[in-house]
Amino acid sequence: MAEPEQRQSAGQRLGAQESLGISTLEHGHRPPAMPPGRRISVRVHMLDDTEEVFEVSQRAPGKVLFDMVCTHLNLIEGDYFGLEFQNQHKMTVWLDLLKPIVKQITRPKNMILRFMVKFFPPDQAQLLEELTRYLFALQIKYDLACGHLTCNESSAALLVSHIVQSEIGDFDEIQSRQHLLYNKYIPEQDALLDKILECHRKHAGQTPAESDYQLLEIARRLEMYGIRLHPAKDRENTKLNLAVAHTGILVFQGHTKINAFNWSKVRKLSFKRKRFLIKLRPDLNSACQDTLEFLMASRDCCKVFWKICVEYHAFFRLFEEPKPKPKPVLFTRGSSFRFSGRTQKQVIDYVKDSEFKKIPFERKHSKIQSSSSPSLGPSQRHSDVPTEVFPVLLSSLTSVPSPSGLVSDSPRLSDSSGASQGLVNGQRQALTPGPSPDGRQPSPLTSPLLNDAGCVRTDDEDELRRKRFPTDKAYFIAKELLTTERTYLKDLEVITVSFQSLLEKEEAAPDSLGSMVSANYDPLHKFHADFLKEVEQRLALWEGRSNAHMKGDHQLIGDIMLKNIQGLKQLSAHLQKLSEVLLELERACRASRRLEVLCRDLELQKVCYLPLNVFLLRPLHRLMHYKQLLERLCKHYPATHVDFRDSRAALADVSEMVAQLHGTMIKMENFQKLLELRKDLVGIDNLAAPGREFIRLGCLSKLSAKGLQQRMFFLFNDVLLYTSRGMTASNQFKVHGQLPLYGMTIRESEDEWGVPNSFTLFGQRQSVVVAASSASEMDKWIEDIKMAIDLSEKCNGPSSNPLACSLGESKSLEDSALEQESEDDLSASRTSLERQVPHRGNTTVHVCWHRNTSVSMVDFSLAVENQLSGNLLRKFKNSNGWQKLWVVFTNFSLFFYKTHQDNSPLASLPLLGYSVTIPSESENIHKDYVFKLHFKSHVYYFRSESEYSFERWMEVIRSATTSACRTRILSRKESHPY
């Protein structure tokens, strides 16, 4: 007799592996034990229109059933959801997680609960998991179909087009039309068919995950997003509807919002029989009554609405779950109901602080598959980013900081690397690597540590490798040349392949720009491709099994360096013209809005993991790297070594080239930084003016009538700007004011204002009191501002290029700008990179904002010199296995790849604010050459292959985590400090 086919769970249909990870439990804990008692079967209707049956004790609280559903779905962020059902009074209510199920569901055999979204966040970027966004998209689809989410025809057509793109992929006239004829997404779909098809045509190349993201981005802007109407009447007996949202209580007349009461204005919510009461805080400027009264159909209706209001307020406004009140001894008064579960802040922190394995999943209604890859975000521009967006990229993706440690797998952001090997949502899995649910081999970010053959590496193998490979320091210097050359060639291909293909396809780009790029970068790419082959061949001989410890011509690198540096000198004309390419690109973008948009879109692609202009200057940076490598090689060799003469000659040649291009490189670094900052600022037109030099950017708290408010400051040689992070789609910073440096004085004012680390800036028109996050940050700012004031004084007057700012410079205008900032603006600004969007999510500016720190041009210049690439083994704090990754350090961040052949990073980890140390004995890391990165609760261990590489990684990472000494950069730039 054949065995009955085992029924798939909802999680398995979504492609999830078996897991005990539960959104409502602490990391690594199992579900609570099932209470004794008779088991009952409860049916739950899922968002994908499937139905699941769960066996649960009738004495169990609702939390046990809800946890079982979240486990079934392998859902991390389950706290946004709930179980909805109709009670015996035919009222739709949410399952109470604290009360026994039997007291809520009287006839479970006849009852079907619906798994639904309960709490709708204001920004879909706060949802860090792709699976969560997929379920939210299904909820939007359901709300559209049943009429809960009403909107105009254009919005409806656009929403449906994204749903269709997610389900069937790119537009095809016959297939798309047929699909819409058989599937009804909105009540009046036939009348909008042509408009839907036209919108669908524009989504070519959009993945299901990106379609979900865009769907939620559009939906969240609609007035009825997440709104559930509760009928009521006011004192004049006018029919109204009440609703609750993340901002507070809303009042509708029909489907039109006529009033809103923000949580900050509400003092108390209560109900008495049929009356629902809102007690407001006193406001002398408002004629509104202190207590508003609404009449509802019954006491039960009042209580149902009051409960959801209490839960919404707690979830979005509190930092942690409210504690239960002690039970009264004699009698009770009022309801004992309280919010049960984690708040939104706790959910975001939990996902960012935990380490989860990214699991590909299938979409029930989609004919195309997508998988959640291991980012920040980010890379937020790509997004651990968020601890903020950024450690989340690595641990959960986020995976962004994304901001208290930063990261997310939002579309177009760097995806999270996944978490510790062998863990799925905190549960240990088998260590044997196997194919993923879609049949593909697992990523090395989610697989056990692999060697080149794809097997688990053992300690014996490591020992054999150490015995087999050379141990001479010159070998490791040569290997660093090889690894960094591989990365450099990939960076060049961003220009020679991606950027050039863009210029060739688009008429918006002038022919002169394409010709300049091709004429100067193609020869460089060809030269370095040949050079890389030579280095690879020499290293292959150097580390061969049979001759690794034999002396011979193959254990030299200076001869290759000398030959190729001399060849590179023949290309000096191309190197000198790179600045002209950058200037020509800037002129072309100013002349063509279309080209500017295309360049911005290129920067959003994962292959362009840094600003485009940085790649244009890479050949100049590479000369400095050659110089540093040769300096270390000459320092290592004795004068009698056979390779010393060639190495010294190569060093002399490259030093001469660096000296010739030094002035150009300094100017271009400053110009590139001004162009990058211009993209992050709103309200400034002529930032990259001739003569303007960038000095420092970072966070300070500005003292105003409202108290200390976080602001991002930008210091130049003529002006100091202060901004706040706006609510724009690109998370840009809105300029609130500018302080000319000419005539400015500065004074420490901690004693005057009673604010630690504060100082006052006295300008000719206004004074500003600001506070730094620490004494060291205050010293950096005061030093740089004093230096900038001296520079402005030497210019014999105010800047000849004042910034064109829409706000003006007067104090009255600055104050009025502050008044326009709503509470939502400020709270949104302070959230971590969980507010990730597909545009510029983890640039250095955003990292400084989230981690409350600053960076100077000194640090940027040193970051150009300190770049490194190579293989590292990575381990998370709570995992046992090590994972092999190709790691690139640049621009204050670590970028993680599967192998050096990959074109784009899987994840990124911005290091500003991190500390790099050696693990202590108590951490039980019994391996050689291990260093530790930690920021708040985020901890990562990295293991290098040799003492030399260990010291190099420590050296370059320290350059990103500690500020540079100013004297070093001044000596480098001589008379042109900035």
Side-chain angles (χ1 to χ4, degrees), residues 605-621:
Q605 296 179 20
K606 289 184 179 180
V607 68
C608 194
Y609 64 100
L610 296 172
L612 178 61
N613 292 337
V614 173
F615 292 105
L616 290 171
L617 298 179
R618 271 293 192 247
L620 300 179
H621 302 161

Side-chain angles (χ1 to χ4, degrees), residues 125-153:
Q126 294 172 343
L127 306 175
L128 305 181
E129 290 282 312
E130 182 182 328
L131 174 58
T132 311
R133 290 193 295 273
Y134 170 57
L135 294 175
F136 264 75
L138 292 179
Q139 180 70 61
I140 297 300
K141 178 181 172 182
Y142 172 81
D143 288 350
L144 280 171
C146 67
H148 287 321
L149 184 58
T150 58
C151 56
N152 60 40
E153 292 184 352

Side-chain angles (χ1 to χ4, degrees), residues 896-930:
F896 300 94
Y897 298 75
K898 179 181 177 182
T899 68
H900 67 82
Q901 291 101 338
D902 290 355
N903 291 323
S904 58
L906 295 169
S908 65
L909 177 63
L911 295 181
L912 291 175
Y914 268 78
S915 299
V916 56
T917 58
I918 299 173
S920 62
E921 286 292 331
S922 61
E923 292 173 274
N924 295 321
I925 306 294
H926 305 300
K927 301 289 182 183
D928 295 331
Y929 315 131
V930 175

Side-chain angles (χ1 to χ4, degrees), residues 483-499:
T483 56
T484 52
E485 191 72 13
R486 283 171 172 167
T487 298
Y488 169 59
L489 200 62
K490 285 290 184 184
D491 288 350
L492 276 183
E493 288 171 359
V494 174
I495 303 300
T496 60
V497 178
S498 302
F499 184 50

